[in-house]
Amino acid sequence: MKKKISDLIKKKNKQKIVSLTAYSKNVASILDKYCDIILVGDSLGSVLYNYKSTREVSLDIMIEHSKSVRMGIKKALMVVDMPYNSYRNSKEALKNAKKIMIKTRCDAVKLEGGKKIYEIIKTLIKNKIPVMGHLGLLPQSDKTFKFKGKKKSERDKILKDALLLERAGVFSIVLECVETSLAKIVTRNIKVPTIGIGASKYCDGQILVFDDLIGLNPINYRFVKKYANLRDQITKAVSNYSKEVRKIKFPNKKNSY
Ligand code: KIV
């Protein structure tokens, strides 16, 4: 049965929420059985396109990948990242969020930030567009990629922002690279689920970038656990193939007509 946003909220304090990113149909169709949420993240900018930052990701790229992901999902909730510069004010955000919802048939959009985008998020929700928040490390706007929650001012701001987003009506909040005790405090103080990435076991759910989980990305991040090492497996397969082609072992009779 297709999952609903209301089911997700009910999981808080009962069952952990499982979430992963996907950028294409084939991957989404594998994740669908195991995930509550599949996110078409703008991380695709660095993962697929080698962009220096997610700021370079366009609305059209997000929509095309999301259309592909949509074809692979039957049950999970599908959330699409609104790219940088697609929500500079309420009017623009509403126009672009509507475009994303209509063209991709996703269930919700995700926006990065707190107080600064409070009115924008309220406008989307008033217009029946479900919104997922994103606090902590904000790849679209942060200059340095360090974990958040060392300084008191930073901790206070993140908690305040989480309470504001809850008030605006978001159905969940991603906490990215947030110090453990702060993630615990935020999670305990809001009624909607928190989804952590590098934000400890105390969040209501977890999300990872799929390419990191399967070990395709050669970079190691502290917050990632590689559940497979596909880079090694692909290297072995391609190396064997190249040797066999050069030694005229492939194709053999069985592979020929
Ligand atoms: O873009 C993305 O993949 C994300 C996740 C890391 C949460 O925002």
Side-chain angles (χ1 to χ4, degrees):
M1 221 171 56
K2 175 97 184 71
K3 292 180 198 278
K4 290 191 233 122
I5 286 176
S6 53
D7 302 330
L8 190 92
I9 298 171
K10 280 185 207 147
K11 286 195 176 209
K12 186 158 177 118
N13 299 323
K14 290 196 183 83
Q15 203 184 4
K16 292 282 185 188
I17 293 163
V18 179
S19 181
L20 281 169
T21 64
Y23 313 131
S24 65
K25 178 188 107 180
N26 284 348
V27 169
S29 69
I30 299 169
L31 309 189
D32 190 42
K33 189 176 165 196
Y34 304 98
C35 287
D36 298 299
I37 302 169
I38 294 178
L39 170 73
V40 187
D42 62 356
S43 52
L44 62 77
S46 47
V47 176
L48 300 182
Y49 293 96
N50 210 29
Y51 293 159
K52 282 205 184 78
S53 88
T54 53
R55 287 182 188 225
E56 290 174 59
V57 176
S58 68
L59 188 63
D60 286 346
I61 287 182
M62 288 308 297
I63 289 174
E64 287 313 303
H65 281 280
S66 301
K67 277 163 48 183
S68 172
V69 167
R70 177 76 273 167
M71 290 188 270
I73 300 182
K74 288 199 181 94
K75 284 157 74 179
L77 282 170
M78 178 177 160
V79 180
V80 175
D81 258 340
M82 289 197 70
Y84 184 70
N85 273 347
S86 72
Y87 54 101
R88 287 173 293 194
N89 54 59
S90 293
K91 196 175 162 208
E92 181 184 65
L94 184 58
K95 181 176 141 243
N96 289 328
K98 274 185 179 168
K99 191 171 172 185
I100 293 174
M101 298 289 293
I102 291 166
K103 293 213 168 200
T104 73
R105 293 184 295 113
C106 66
D107 298 291
V109 292
K110 175 164 81 61
L111 282 72
E112 291 183 14
K115 193 175 170 204
K116 258 193 193 165
I117 57 165
Y118 175 70
E119 289 301 329
I120 293 174
I121 290 182
K122 264 189 21 184
T123 302
L124 298 189
I125 293 170
K126 211 170 79 189
N127 283 278
K128 300 198 166 26
I129 297 174
V131 175
M132 178 183 239
H134 185 146
L135 296 173
L137 184 85
L138 304 178
Q140 289 181 0
S141 48
D142 283 351
K143 301 234 160 47
T144 53
F145 283 15
K146 287 187 187 143
F147 83 89
K148 303 281 174 174
K150 247 187 182 174
K151 292 188 222 134
K152 184 171 181 318
S153 58
E154 208 170 66
R155 296 175 73 87
D156 292 348
K157 186 177 181 308
I158 289 173
L159 179 58
K160 252 190 182 171
D161 278 346
L163 292 164
L164 259 184
L165 291 188
E166 180 184 39
R167 196 183 327 147
V170 301
F171 70 90
S172 70
I173 302 176
V174 166
L175 293 180
E176 180 163 354
C177 294
V178 169
E179 188 273 332
T180 300
S181 67
L182 176 60
K184 194 172 174 180
I185 290 169
V186 171
T187 302
R188 282 193 176 165
N189 277 279
I190 59 173
K191 290 187 187 74
V192 293
T194 56
I195 314 290
I197 174 162
S200 87
K201 64 177 181 182
Y202 296 107
C203 291
D204 297 303
Q206 299 294 327
I207 184 162
L208 281 177
V209 169
F210 177 70
D211 287 53
D212 294 341
L213 170 125
I214 59 168
L216 256 189
N217 185 353
I219 305 166
N220 293 311
Y221 301 110
R222 181 184 170 117
F223 59 85
V224 170
K225 179 171 173 185
K226 293 185 181 182
Y227 285 83
N229 202 330
L230 247 63
R231 221 181 153 78
D232 279 358
Q233 288 186 34
I234 294 171
T235 303
K236 271 183 209 141
V238 176
S239 156
N240 286 340
Y241 166 73
S242 73
K243 278 181 204 148
E244 291 198 359
V245 168
R246 289 190 179 113
K247 287 183 181 160
I248 323 176
K249 278 190 165 175
F250 175 84
N252 62 17
K253 254 192 182 167
K254 264 206 273 178
N255 311 116
S256 307
Y257 296 98

